[in-house]
Amino acid sequence: MFITTTFEDLASEVNGNFQQIDKKYPGNRGSFVHVSTYILEFNYRDINVHVKYELGSHNSGLIECKLPRQVDNCAFSIETKSQFYQLLNRRKPSLKIISKSSQLTNFIELNKGFMDLCECARRERFEPPIIGKNDADGYLLSCKFSLVFNNKELVLRPFVHFYKSLIDLFLDYRVK
């Protein structure tokens, strides 16, 4: 499946806005660098979610949203386990959750979107450093990641489902 088709299908599923921007930038010795930017913006429970893929020069992805401020122990990060660990523990998830809240850690570990992201990380060498933390404007959920892997479109749906479930968790329940 192509990236454009995946973005379009996902935009219709979440009732969002999809935009594709193609530009050429001058390079060395008369050459050009072609950059394609794919942007999906949607609103879920009055929270704006922003997804962006930039392919060409940076090959990077971003998904983020801003929620109301949360209690301090709601901060978390998700990182990729080392290659050595993954080699020795092939059946275990390749992503690790770091959080002071056991309730939040358990929720993430059992989340289908997270499990799908773990599977993508295992198969595709996808390394998503996801963070959730309070800042001056509220609670930021953010992931900036490299798109230098095959099947870049396969992580879009799991990311969106994972973010939507985190939004539900933070808006509906008090995380301890």
Side-chain angles (χ1 to χ4, degrees), residues 52-154:
K52 179 179 174 184
Y53 272 26
E54 184 180 298
L55 299 171
S57 63
H58 297 297
N59 294 317
S60 63
L62 167 72
I63 179 168
E64 66 182 6
C65 64
K66 184 73 78 165
L67 291 107
R69 195 163 181 78
Q70 301 294 314
V71 294
D72 287 335
N73 69 336
C74 285
F76 75 94
S77 65
I78 297 174
E79 301 171 354
T80 306
K81 294 178 182 174
S82 73
Q83 299 284 345
F84 183 69
Y85 178 88
Q86 291 180 48
L87 184 64
L88 295 176
N89 300 286
R90 292 182 188 204
R91 295 178 191 242
K92 293 191 176 184
S94 54
L95 301 176
K96 67 179 172 182
I97 305 157
I98 302 165
S99 175
K100 292 180 182 176
S101 169
S102 60
Q103 179 186 7
L104 180 58
T105 302
N106 291 338
F107 175 84
I108 292 171
E109 286 174 343
L110 298 174
N111 183 275
K112 171 130 176 49
F114 176 73
M115 287 189 253
D116 291 345
L117 287 173
C118 286
E119 183 59 26
C120 289
R122 188 185 63 75
R123 278 187 287 130
E124 302 293 340
R125 294 290 172 228
F126 166 60
E127 299 182 359
I130 304 168
I131 60 158
K133 66 178 183 176
N134 283 317
D135 64 13
D137 301 327
Y139 188 82
L140 175 69
L141 281 175
S142 180
C143 182
K144 295 176 185 173
F145 54 97
S146 170
L147 289 171
V148 184
F149 60 93
N150 295 325
N151 303 314
K152 298 161 186 47
E153 69 279 357
L154 294 181

Side-chain angles (χ1 to χ4, degrees), residues 4 18-25 34-39 52-55:
T4 305
F18 168 65
Q19 185 178 13
Q20 179 179 349
I21 304 165
D22 293 314
K23 289 188 178 179
K24 287 185 180 178
Y25 296 98
H34 180 82
V35 177
S36 294
T37 305
Y38 305 87
I39 300 169
K52 179 179 174 184
Y53 272 26
E54 184 180 298
L55 299 171

